[in-house]
Amino acid sequence: MSGNLYIVSTPIGNLEDITIRAIRVLKEVDVIAAEDTRHSRKLLNHYGITKPMISYWSEKEKVRSEEIIEKLQSDLSVAIISDAGTPGISDPGAVLIKRAIDEGIDVVPIPGPSAAIAALSVSGLSTEEFTFIGFLPPKAAQRQKRLNELALEPRTLIFYEAPHRIFETLKDMEEIFGQRQAVLAKEITKMHEEILRGTISEILDMLKTRTIAGEYVIMVEGMKKEDVSIDIALDEIKALMKKGKGRKEAVKIVAEAYGLSKKELYNRSLG
Ligand code: SAM
């Protein structure tokens, strides 16, 4: 027999943002595995939860996962929590969850806050389809490369970013995404919560008069079909043809993806 592994979402700032079920599960499990036991103790104390805790963080995720799997296999139930929000979302958790699934252990979600969804819900940007990117690479060249790869993405883009990189990341976005609408959600659910909306350049301007501190989610509207320049479409056709597609097929794929005229694209692709 094995115990259940509970993936428990915890507040992203305001301690009240935890579900009644999450509190019950944290009180009932045998062990709580926390990203940072000292950090989580504050939340657990607030709700009178006194359970044995073990630490569980990215660098030790593999080793710790095996220890937790052993506990689960000896019929102990385990809850994992991260410092904030949903474990596994730009946080440790994925390695353990995969191992538990492979071992046939029941993995049970205890849903609650995640900064990405909280930010998106108040963004005013399209929520119909969105792409969660999480953290971009910290080095400028790699970050710009990743942003270039995302330049044609039509869905709303959601990024996490550290305060000391907010300016440079928004600058890169201004350069690569142009004058798109964006939203910067700062310190959601906390005392200094602030949501800035505007073009990427307008948001950069707003930041000039503000203190940059705390936690941020950046959201950028996806590329609109009418924004696709014919040059970008022609580049895509060339890339598809390099990968072995025939001209006709490549034109068809790109024209359908961006709502452009097949005939015009075909003729332009010959030039
Ligand atoms: N697992 C978390 C979740 O479900 O949202 C994310 C953890 S990740 C290590 C931390 C990043 O999430 C921060 O750098 C920031 O980008 C974002 N974040 C977390 N809490 C936030 C908050 N209260 N307001 C704005 N962004 C937040």
Side-chain angles (χ1 to χ4, degrees):
M1 258 275 298
S2 56
N4 286 346
L5 174 64
Y6 296 95
I7 313 304
V8 182
S9 299
T10 58
I12 55 169
N14 187 324
L15 289 185
E16 289 179 8
D17 292 327
I18 186 162
T19 69
I20 295 165
R21 184 170 173 228
I23 296 170
R24 179 177 59 73
V25 167
L26 291 172
K27 283 185 173 165
E28 285 176 4
V29 287
D30 297 299
V31 180
I32 298 174
E35 188 184 0
D36 177 343
T37 51
R38 270 197 309 182
H39 175 97
S40 293
R41 192 83 64 189
K42 200 172 143 209
L43 172 77
L44 300 181
N45 285 345
H46 185 82
Y47 287 102
I49 300 164
T50 47
K51 279 283 155 179
M53 289 180 93
I54 52 175
S55 68
Y56 178 81
W57 73 102
S58 330
E59 296 85 57
K60 288 263 164 123
E61 201 167 356
K62 249 185 154 164
V63 182
R64 291 296 155 109
S65 290
E66 292 313 314
E67 291 166 13
I68 294 170
I69 294 288
E70 274 174 31
K71 290 190 195 305
L72 290 160
Q73 285 173 332
S74 45
D75 204 19
L76 294 176
S77 56
V78 179
I80 65 167
I81 56 177
S82 62
D83 285 355
T86 303
I89 309 299
S90 294
D91 263 341
V95 173
L96 171 62
I97 292 163
K98 173 82 176 56
R99 279 287 294 122
I101 294 167
D102 290 347
E103 293 296 327
I105 291 162
D106 282 340
V107 181
V108 184
I110 309 294
S114 188
I117 298 298
L120 181 67
S121 73
V122 295
S123 68
L125 299 174
S126 171
T127 55
E128 228 165 85
E129 290 190 46
F130 53 90
T131 303
F132 175 70
I133 310 298
F135 290 102
L136 286 162
K139 292 211 174 108
Q142 286 162 329
R143 182 173 59 238
Q144 287 154 11
K145 182 170 176 277
R146 184 78 185 104
L147 289 173
N148 272 310
E149 287 163 5
L150 294 166
L152 298 179
E153 172 60 56
R155 291 168 280 204
T156 301
L157 296 159
I158 309 175
F159 303 89
Y160 285 164
E161 192 50 286
H164 60 279
R165 275 196 289 269
I166 275 289
F167 254 113
E168 42 180 321
T169 294
L170 283 169
K171 278 256 167 230
D172 286 345
M173 288 179 172
E174 182 185 40
E175 177 76 31
I176 293 163
F177 295 152
Q179 290 308 303
R180 292 196 204 169
Q181 288 299 309
V183 180
L184 187 64
K186 176 189 175 184
E187 294 282 87
I188 307 164
T189 77
K190 302 190 207 177
M191 190 155 48
H192 300 291
E193 178 179 283
E194 194 174 22
I195 315 289
L196 303 179
R197 301 180 180 87
T199 62
I200 300 173
S201 313
E202 284 165 352
I203 290 179
L204 274 164
D205 272 349
M206 291 178 218
L207 286 184
K208 283 184 192 145
T209 55
R210 285 175 166 77
T211 317
I212 309 289
E215 299 195 281
Y216 293 87
V217 179
I218 306 172
M219 292 155 287
V220 183
E221 73 174 342
M223 192 201 56
K224 292 203 195 106
K225 283 183 178 168
E226 58 268 28
D227 291 343
V228 187
S229 81
I230 210 89
D231 292 339
I232 291 175
L234 291 173
D235 283 348
E236 287 238 327
I237 292 169
K238 263 192 217 152
L240 286 173
M241 286 173 68
K242 258 194 187 159
K243 284 185 192 157
K245 299 250 183 270
R247 184 180 304 274
K248 235 178 157 180
E249 196 188 352
V251 167
K252 186 168 179 274
I253 293 170
V254 175
E256 278 171 7
Y258 299 125
L260 299 170
S261 147
K262 263 189 261 177
K263 200 171 164 200
E264 188 190 346
L265 264 188
Y266 189 87
N267 289 337
R268 293 282 301 266
S269 77
L270 297 168

